[in-house]
């Protein structure tokens, strides 16, 4: 049952990223997949838990979205932030000339 929920959520994230025009979206791709850029890679992250009375009171799954592009000022950065309600941007980094823009989505 929970696996179905996570599958529906990842499908929604995929559809939303495609809707805003991200050309390539990969959901938890295996290491042997060669990604085409620009793209967004989506992975289920460690859930955030809030505790009360010595037990988990609130459990919020989170998703890591990393948008990768050779362009330093890509238009999709703002579009991704606007597309989701509970999203935060993390530190940008560059590797081999490819810009990585990580986001954490709570959904």
């Amino acid at each position: 049952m929970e696996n179905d929920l996570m599958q529906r959520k990842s499908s929604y994230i995929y559809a939303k990223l495609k809707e805003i025009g991200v050309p390539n979206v990969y959901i938890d791709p295996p290491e042997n997949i060669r990604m085409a850029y620009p793209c967004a890679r989506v992975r289920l992250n460690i859930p955030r838990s809030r505790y009360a009375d010595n037990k988990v009171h609130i459990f919020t799954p989170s998703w890591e979205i990393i948008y990768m592009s050779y362009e330093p000022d890509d238009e999709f950065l703002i579009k991704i932030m606007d597309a989701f309600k509970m999203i935060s941007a993390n530190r940008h980094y560059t590797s081999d000339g490819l810009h990585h823009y990580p986001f954490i989505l709570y959904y």
Side-chain angles (χ1 to χ4, degrees), residues 40-57:
R41 184 184 72 207
V42 180
R43 289 187 177 162
L44 183 61
N45 220 354
I46 296 172
R48 181 173 60 174
S49 299
R50 302 282 171 112
Y51 295 89
D53 296 326
N54 294 325
K55 62 182 179 177
V56 175
H57 182 66

Side-chain angles (χ1 to χ4, degrees), residues 24-47:
N24 303 295
V25 179
Y26 301 93
I27 305 292
D28 200 17
E31 296 296 324
N32 64 342
I33 295 292
R34 184 172 172 89
M35 294 188 284
Y37 304 107
C39 72
R41 184 184 72 207
V42 180
R43 289 187 177 162
L44 183 61
N45 220 354
I46 296 172

Side-chain angles (χ1 to χ4, degrees), residues 15-25 38 67 75-76 79:
K16 196 73 163 167
L17 289 169
K18 292 301 276 185
E19 178 183 301
I20 64 171
V22 175
N24 303 295
V25 179
Y67 181 75
E75 66 179 324
F76 289 108
K79 288 182 177 184

Side-chain angles (χ1 to χ4, degrees), residues 58-77:
I58 299 172
F59 177 82
T60 308
S62 65
W63 300 83
E64 176 187 57
I65 300 172
I66 299 181
Y67 181 75
M68 294 171 265
S69 174
Y70 288 109
E71 300 297 322
D73 296 324
D74 200 298
E75 66 179 324
F76 289 108
L77 304 177

